[in-house]
Amino acid sequence: AQKVTQAQTEISVVEKEDVTLDCVYETRDTTYYLFWYKQPPSGELVFLIRRNSFDEQNEISGRYSWNFQKSTSSFNFTITASQVVDSAVYFCALKSVDSNYQLIWGAGTKLIIKP
Amino acid sequence: AAGVIQSPRHLIKEKRETATLKCYPIPRHDTVYWYQQGPGQDPQFLISFYEKMQSDKGSIPDRFSAQQFSDYHSELNMSSLELGDSALYFCASSQKSGPAYEQYFGPGTRLTVT
């Protein structure tokens, strides 16, 4: 069965702190794709990153970084030196043959950055 | 860069009325997806189209229908609206229908049924 678990329902930190959003996934497929999306208060869903199961390289994009570990089935997202504009709901999602290539979404983590 | 366009952005309808939501994908994207997101929930997949043909179907109610036109834009038609249909409706597009292609979402249409 396909499943994405984002155990942190809500995280609140003070601006400039680093924060990590956890994502744990389950799939029987050996080939799969993982995604992170950001949904700010304005409501739109913004694509952040896609990672293929055969590429375990971590990725850094500015203040954002992603740690993909197949051994623990995790795809965690870290924001360094957080800013108020990072406040949003962040969704982790999975896609594979077993999901008929439809996105399986986590429940989302609401991130609140306080000034 | 061009993004997915959805119209209208907000829509208020009464119970039992009909509504039509429109989606214009990113140029050269041939696959369109529709999602429904209730408050505090993750997006629920409704239906998708690839090259103007329905490619997959999710939890779309029988009261809803959708199609993709020759210019690749898509419309979601909703009839006999119910209070529970109040939600944010997203359209997303991708370059192809394969799993490796990420979906880019539009700004959403917020539907309120009163």
Side-chain angles (χ1 to χ4, degrees):
Chain A
Q2 313 281 301
K3 190 177 177 183
V4 175
T5 301
Q6 293 181 257
Q8 304 148 311
T9 306
E10 185 174 304
I11 300 175
S12 181
V13 300
V14 176
E15 200 173 19
K16 294 182 186 156
E17 286 185 11
D18 299 346
V19 57
T20 295
L21 310 182
D22 298 332
C23 173
V24 174
Y25 61 92
E26 293 176 34
T27 178
R28 294 173 299 186
D29 291 318
T30 54
T31 300
Y32 51 88
Y33 302 84
L34 296 163
F35 303 81
W36 275 95
Y37 283 86
K38 172 183 179 180
Q39 188 171 38
S42 49
E44 71 272 24
L45 274 164
V46 179
F47 166 76
L48 295 179
I49 189 171
R50 181 197 75 219
R51 176 60 69 214
N52 309 329
S53 56
F54 41 87
D55 179 4
E56 281 195 78
Q57 274 192 331
N58 292 325
E59 180 147 343
I60 298 175
S61 176
R63 296 183 297 106
Y64 295 174
S65 62
W66 290 268
N67 185 336
F68 177 31
Q69 292 200 347
K70 287 177 78 169
S71 60
T72 55
S73 297
S74 65
F75 185 42
N76 297 338
F77 172 32
T78 297
I79 301 176
T80 303
S82 60
Q83 299 177 3
V84 172
V85 292
D86 295 327
S87 296
V89 177
Y90 290 86
F91 289 99
C92 180
L94 162 73
K95 194 195 279 192
S96 73
V97 171
D98 209 18
S99 71
N100 202 25
Y101 296 128
Q102 293 308 324
L103 283 168
I104 304 299
W105 298 83
T109 296
K110 183 175 183 179
L111 178 62
I112 300 169
I113 310 295
K114 293 187 251 185
Chain B
V4 177
I5 297 171
Q6 289 187 249
S7 67
R9 293 292 308 278
H10 301 272
L11 191 57
I12 300 175
K13 291 285 185 178
E14 294 188 356
K15 276 180 12 179
R16 293 180 288 278
E17 284 192 322
T18 61
T20 297
L21 310 186
K22 296 186 179 183
C23 168
Y24 298 86
I26 292 172
R28 290 179 296 281
H29 282 198
D30 54 19
T31 305
V32 167
Y33 309 80
W34 285 98
Y35 290 85
Q36 177 192 61
Q37 186 182 30
Q41 296 181 358
D42 57 286
Q44 295 297 307
F45 170 68
L46 295 178
I47 195 168
S48 62
F49 293 88
Y50 169 62
E51 282 291 344
K52 292 152 278 185
M53 300 287 289
Q54 181 183 307
S55 55
D56 204 0
K57 199 170 179 181
S59 51
I60 184 169
D62 292 340
R63 299 177 289 108
F64 294 6
S65 66
Q67 57 181 323
Q68 186 179 30
F69 295 86
S70 57
D71 63 351
Y72 294 100
H73 95 271
S74 179
E75 295 183 4
L76 177 66
N77 299 294
M78 311 160 73
S79 62
S80 303
L81 286 169
E82 300 173 358
L83 295 178
D85 295 329
S86 295
L88 193 52
Y89 289 83
F90 286 106
C91 170
S93 74
S94 65
Q95 235 175 343
K96 297 284 181 190
S97 66
Y101 296 93
E102 54 269 19
Q103 297 175 22
Y104 292 91
F105 285 75
T109 294
R110 188 169 296 281
L111 173 66
T112 303
V113 181
T114 62

